Amino acid sequence: MSSSAETRGGEAEGRLDGRLAELHASVVSRLDASLLLRPQQEQPERALRAVMPLCRRAGITRLGDLTGLDRLGLPVVQAVRPAALSEVTSLGRGFAKAEAALGAIMEALERYFAESIAEGRIFHATADELNIADGLFDNLLVPEHRGSWRHRKISWIAGLDVAKGAMHPVPLELVHTRYSEPPPPDDGLFLRTTTGLACHRSADAAFLHGLLECIERDAIARAFATHGFFDRMRIASSGLGEKIDQILSIAGAHGVSFALWLAPSPAGVPVVWCQTIETGPGEPVLALPTEGYAAGPSLEAAASSAMLEALSARAGAISGARDDQTREHYRRSTDAIVAKARALILDGEAAVRTAEPLSAVPDLRSLLQRVVKAGLGPILAVPVEADAETGVHCVRTVLPGATAFFVLR
């Protein structure tokens, strides 16, 4: 066993270093804070001003207001980072323009920080040298490498086992976003994804955001594998709460119809899949359907986030500027897929059922317990970076027991 592997393996049962200790302390401080009561948050305008100095350092050259491309009036802002090694554009949405701009910047910063991990934090070893549990991370492997990767020396980074409060090595490929061609030397074992990567003005909020995204993607992957999902799991969009009613009113006034489905999460966390399509009279602004997914502590929270994502995706598609939407995405407007989507959203209304009561997730402690009990863990979190000047924290959360989800648009 190499000396570096011995050192890192020993740290798994020892004390936490500075970054991991700070992340652990931040998460522990919020374990019993309510996830259902909306906390008093920093004003979006103030937060936006605070993070603007980081935009220049991160290479964000433009913030574009896409709101006027669609007829909905829902604020959508695009951040552009031309030198990105993953996606060049990022979208943000909200009920206010500053909120949408802040979301776009934070999404761009996630990738910037994950592209720039310092070499000194990386170590090289095999899974066997690090005593990684058999089968751990196998769900996240490219299929052809399952069962054949443990003896290969790869790059790792120190992560936090949140439940145990101990260091746990995480494959660097599951953390970084240096999606270059040719790829970094140790890459190619794991699926490329930004799932679980999040930026926020506090470490615990970044972790929570990333954890909910991991839960969401796992549930959506399970939905794809569930026979008859669209027939059996559709739920009514009315009666879910005031925020949902507000979104329905905005969309309905402009001829946009919704459909919602409850995705199966083994953790019992509400996860909603939303699809939209224009059904009003006249020529549509966007003939293509759009979709959004979200997990949340309550059904209302999950549904509202999924609906806003689906609506903001309209402006992104209309702009034609998203580099993760290929030409195949736009060819769909001329084939039967659009007709099929319309039928799914409109004709499927007969299959709508009242959502079965889902136990809301009251606090972070309960959320962690549900995830571990469901076998999705261990819950691993890597403090990717923290910017002292702006207070922005970037965290990558990884659930080795989750089902990987990847879609090429």
Side-chain angles (χ1 to χ4, degrees), residues 208-241:
L208 175 61
H209 183 120
L211 178 58
L212 287 173
E213 186 173 72
C214 290
I215 295 168
E216 164 211 313
R217 301 296 169 84
D218 170 76
I220 297 300
R222 294 171 188 269
F224 269 103
T226 300
H227 179 70
F229 169 77
F230 287 111
D231 295 327
R232 296 190 289 111
M233 300 305 292
R234 183 161 176 176
I235 59 174
S237 55
S238 59
L240 295 180

Side-chain angles (χ1 to χ4, degrees), residues 272-399:
V272 172
W273 184 343
C274 170
Q275 292 196 19
T276 76
I277 198 164
E278 283 193 51
T279 55
E283 192 71 20
V285 174
L286 179 70
L288 294 167
T290 61
E291 60 185 7
Y293 324 111
S298 66
L299 186 57
E300 180 183 8
S304 62
S305 292
M307 293 166 78
L308 284 175
E309 182 176 276
L311 289 179
S312 66
R314 287 174 50 83
I318 293 168
S319 74
R322 288 193 59 160
D323 42 355
D324 63 339
Q325 288 183 330
T326 66
R327 67 177 62 185
E328 291 299 325
H329 176 84
Y330 292 95
R331 285 177 179 168
R332 294 175 186 175
S333 62
T334 59
D335 61 27
I337 293 181
V338 171
K340 183 178 179 181
R342 290 178 65 90
L344 180 66
I345 294 170
L346 299 180
D347 299 345
E349 291 179 351
V352 171
R353 65 187 181 89
T354 302
E356 296 177 5
L358 267 180
S359 169
V361 186
D363 50 46
L364 182 55
R365 187 187 302 275
S366 299
L367 180 61
L368 298 179
Q369 290 171 347
R370 292 190 191 192
V371 171
V372 172
K373 186 177 180 180
L376 300 180
I379 304 169
L380 305 179
V382 177
V384 177
E385 192 54 87
D387 183 71
E389 180 183 353
T390 61
V392 173
H393 293 259
C394 181
V395 176
R396 169 79 89 155
T397 304
V398 178
L399 291 185

Side-chain angles (χ1 to χ4, degrees), residues 154 173 187 368:
I154 63 171
E173 191 176 0
D187 276 20
L368 298 179

